[in-house]
Amino acid sequence: MTYTAAKKVSKVTVTHGKRVRHVLEEESITFDDADADGVITPHNDALVISLLVHDTNVKRVLTDPGSSVNIILLRVLNEMQAEDKIVPKAHTLSGFDNSSVVIKGEVVLTTFTEGVVKEMEMAYNIILGRPWIHEMDVVPSTLHQVIKFPSPWGICQICGDQQTSRSINSVVDSRTKNEEK
């Protein structure tokens, strides 16, 4: 099977507060069996990647097209020494169970796909939702455990870390089982 998402590399301009896309060149982002090489199947694993953010290689980054926000933990910002990047802004996020959390603020951090400066390891450190996915023109495939996106050098990709995804989910599953007892 081949999974295809038509993709056009585009230039974005802002006019009167609205984003307008101007198509520059047509390209396709496709997924096929070769993209799933090394993926243990069948699976229902989340798409977890590592990403260079603000000169820090952040592991356990959940790519979640179902999330309407991008979330980074305050302790991760502290590890990056990026607390000064926070713009105070109070918003309330509501969870699936109707619980709510008030955020500290917003932060803009540069993300890179190559190079490593510092390493850090925690549970999900960042959740990248539709705002990041759309801004970066990312096409994620949880089935193939890869994200693909256009760049000036062609279509680039970042492979997911299925083992990390499984280890995180097994910890969550064991906690849930203990809570149910």
Side-chain angles (χ1 to χ4, degrees):
M1 279 188 171
T2 298
Y3 299 85
T4 304
K7 190 72 195 136
K8 296 182 182 203
V9 176
S10 57
K11 174 181 167 186
V12 177
T13 56
V14 177
T15 308
H16 301 291
K18 294 183 181 178
R19 285 174 44 121
V20 180
R21 290 196 182 269
H22 300 285
V23 176
L24 297 177
E25 179 183 327
E26 189 171 325
E27 288 190 41
S28 291
I29 292 179
T30 62
F31 299 92
D32 58 30
D33 290 341
D35 291 309
D37 281 349
V39 174
I40 301 166
T41 58
H43 74 86
N44 192 24
D45 299 320
L47 183 50
V48 178
I49 63 172
S50 293
L51 194 63
L52 190 64
V53 180
H54 193 69
D55 294 332
T56 302
N57 189 34
V58 182
K59 294 181 180 181
R60 299 182 183 212
V61 176
L62 175 64
T63 306
D64 183 10
S67 178
S68 61
V69 295
N70 300 321
I71 300 170
I72 185 168
L73 298 175
L74 185 57
R75 67 179 183 202
V76 176
L77 281 176
N78 291 338
E79 283 286 321
M80 292 178 178
Q81 299 176 350
E83 309 89 5
D84 60 328
K85 303 279 187 205
I86 298 174
V87 176
K89 215 175 221 183
H91 290 290
T92 303
L93 297 179
S94 297
F96 182 75
D97 62 354
N98 254 355
S99 62
S100 59
V101 175
V102 178
I103 66 168
K104 290 246 182 213
E106 295 179 352
V107 63
V108 176
L109 298 172
T110 306
T111 59
F112 300 96
T113 57
E114 293 182 10
V116 175
V117 177
K118 292 186 248 177
E119 296 279 337
M120 54 194 309
E121 182 100 31
M122 296 180 210
Y124 287 138
N125 292 306
I126 298 175
I127 299 174
L128 295 175
R130 290 186 307 271
W132 181 81
I133 291 169
H134 293 176
E135 183 66 31
M136 295 293 295
D137 293 331
V138 166
V139 180
S141 173
T142 56
L143 177 64
H144 298 91
Q145 290 290 295
V146 67
I147 66 171
K148 293 186 178 184
F149 52 95
S151 78
W153 307 277
I155 303 301
C156 293
Q157 70 178 34
I158 299 175
C159 294
D161 184 346
Q162 191 178 23
Q163 296 300 69
T164 297
S165 177
R166 287 179 173 213
S167 70
I168 291 170
N169 285 330
S170 69
V171 170
V172 170
D173 288 346
S174 66
R175 284 184 191 158
T176 303
K177 288 176 185 170
N178 288 338
E179 289 172 6
E180 290 175 354
K181 289 181 182 177

